[in-house]
């Protein structure tokens, strides 16, 4: 068994016996133990009582975190003509059409969010096997297939987070940085939980939110009292 470092041991000791705590206590614990040399991301994982294999139990949506993510988001936009110019003016990192499709097909994906105008979808559709598994496929349900590319780019760069239930019904996302003020992290977390709560599908039966855990990139996780996180 690998020997644990001092920082890891100290973090585990600090988290020992801490379960079903309030969001505020969880954030305080995480910030106090995020002692690596880089600014760790605060991550949330939510176990939901759904089976994403069934269409009426899929959980998917988007939320604008009130205090941003602290992450620089690289945005690619599939558009032509005036819409391509709008995207560039709004701050898109990569803009193109067939040329961008060829770049992605070649295995170069240097972006975190992909946006497309509706007329570009026949082209983007060819990239489903590449973008789909990375959760980068543009989708009108989360506002990434739109004619208002300028607003979509601004939203993506301004702290908007997409979420989607993965196999096993788990939703996870980054909700800020360890360097954020505690109050701002708490606000972001509650906004994210609220969005997932509002996205409850019609086919969900029984308990919807089963477990909520918070952690930093390199730190242990702590479970949060679901009723506290949702404000119920």
């Amino acid at each position: 068994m690998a020997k644990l470092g001092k920082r890891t041991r100290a973090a585990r000791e600090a988290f020992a016996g801490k379960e079903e705590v309030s969001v505020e206590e969880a954030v305080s614990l995480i910030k106090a133990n995020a002692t690596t040399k880089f600014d760790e991301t605060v991550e949330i994982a939510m176990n939901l009582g759904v089976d994403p294999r069934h269409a009426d139990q899929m959980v998917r949506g988007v939320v604008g975190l009130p205090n941003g993510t602290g992450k620089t988001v690289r945005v690619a936009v599939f558009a032509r003509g005036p819409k391509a110019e709008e995207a560039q003016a709004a701050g898109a990192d990569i803009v193109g059409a067939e040329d961008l499709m060829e770049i992605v097909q070649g295995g170069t994906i240097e972006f975190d969010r992909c946006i497309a105008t509706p007329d570009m979808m026949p082209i983007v559709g060819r990239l489903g096997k590449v973008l789909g598994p990375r959760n980068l496929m543009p989708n009108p349900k989360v506002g990434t297939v739109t004619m208002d590319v300028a607003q979509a780019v601004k939203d993506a760069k301004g702290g908007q987070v997409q979420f989607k239930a993965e196999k096993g019904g788990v939703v996870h996302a980054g909700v800020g940085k360890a360097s954020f003020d505690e109050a701002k992290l708490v606000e972001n977390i509650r906004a994210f939980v609220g969005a997932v709560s509002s996205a409850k599908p019609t086919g969900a039966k029984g308990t919807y939110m089963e477990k909520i855990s918070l952690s930093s990139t390199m730190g242990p996780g702590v479970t949060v009292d679901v009723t506290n996180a949702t404000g119920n």
Side-chain angles (χ1 to χ4, degrees):
M1 184 175 178
K3 187 177 180 180
L4 298 177
K6 289 183 179 180
R7 189 192 66 81
T8 304
R9 285 203 309 272
R12 289 193 177 183
E13 288 170 5
F15 280 69
K18 302 287 187 180
E19 295 181 2
E20 302 297 315
V21 301
S22 68
V23 174
E24 289 81 1
E25 185 177 353
V27 167
S28 181
L29 267 172
I30 289 166
K31 281 180 60 66
N33 289 278
T35 55
T36 55
K37 294 181 180 179
F38 66 96
D39 192 5
E40 297 181 49
T41 296
V42 176
E43 302 173 354
I44 186 169
M46 303 176 66
N47 293 69
L48 306 177
V50 298
D51 184 347
R53 292 175 298 178
H54 300 288
D56 65 346
Q57 293 188 48
M58 170 51 71
V59 177
R60 184 172 196 159
V62 64
V63 56
L65 298 182
N67 302 299
T69 63
K71 177 184 177 181
T72 299
V73 178
R74 299 164 299 174
V75 180
V77 178
F78 282 87
R80 287 196 182 96
K83 289 298 173 183
E85 295 172 6
E86 283 180 29
Q88 289 174 328
D93 300 275
I94 309 167
V95 181
E98 284 85 358
D99 55 335
L100 180 53
M101 178 189 71
E102 291 174 3
I103 290 171
V104 174
Q105 283 179 327
T108 301
I109 302 176
E110 298 179 338
F111 51 86
D112 309 295
R113 183 71 62 86
C114 185
I115 296 164
T117 53
D119 59 300
M120 288 285 100
M121 288 311 291
I123 290 174
V124 180
R126 302 178 202 172
L127 303 173
K129 291 183 179 179
V130 180
L131 298 179
R134 294 173 172 80
N135 202 23
L136 289 172
M137 194 68 182
N139 189 307
K141 292 183 179 178
V142 294
T144 48
V145 177
T146 177
M147 289 301 289
D148 193 353
V149 290
Q151 187 60 52
V153 170
K154 291 175 183 175
D155 288 342
K157 287 184 168 288
Q160 190 183 70
V161 174
Q162 295 181 16
F163 58 86
K164 179 182 179 181
E166 299 179 352
K167 186 178 180 180
V170 177
V171 168
H172 65 82
V175 288
K177 293 290 185 177
S179 60
F180 282 20
D181 291 341
E182 288 187 18
K184 290 185 176 180
L185 280 171
V186 170
E187 190 177 7
N188 276 2
I189 291 164
R190 292 197 191 283
F192 186 86
V193 172
V196 175
S197 177
S198 297
K200 180 178 180 179
T202 56
K205 307 296 182 184
T207 302
Y208 176 50
M209 291 192 183
E210 298 179 340
K211 180 181 177 182
I212 299 176
S213 300
L214 295 172
S215 65
S216 62
T217 305
M218 301 298 291
V222 58
T223 56
V224 174
D225 179 8
V226 173
T227 57
N228 176 272
T230 57
N232 294 332

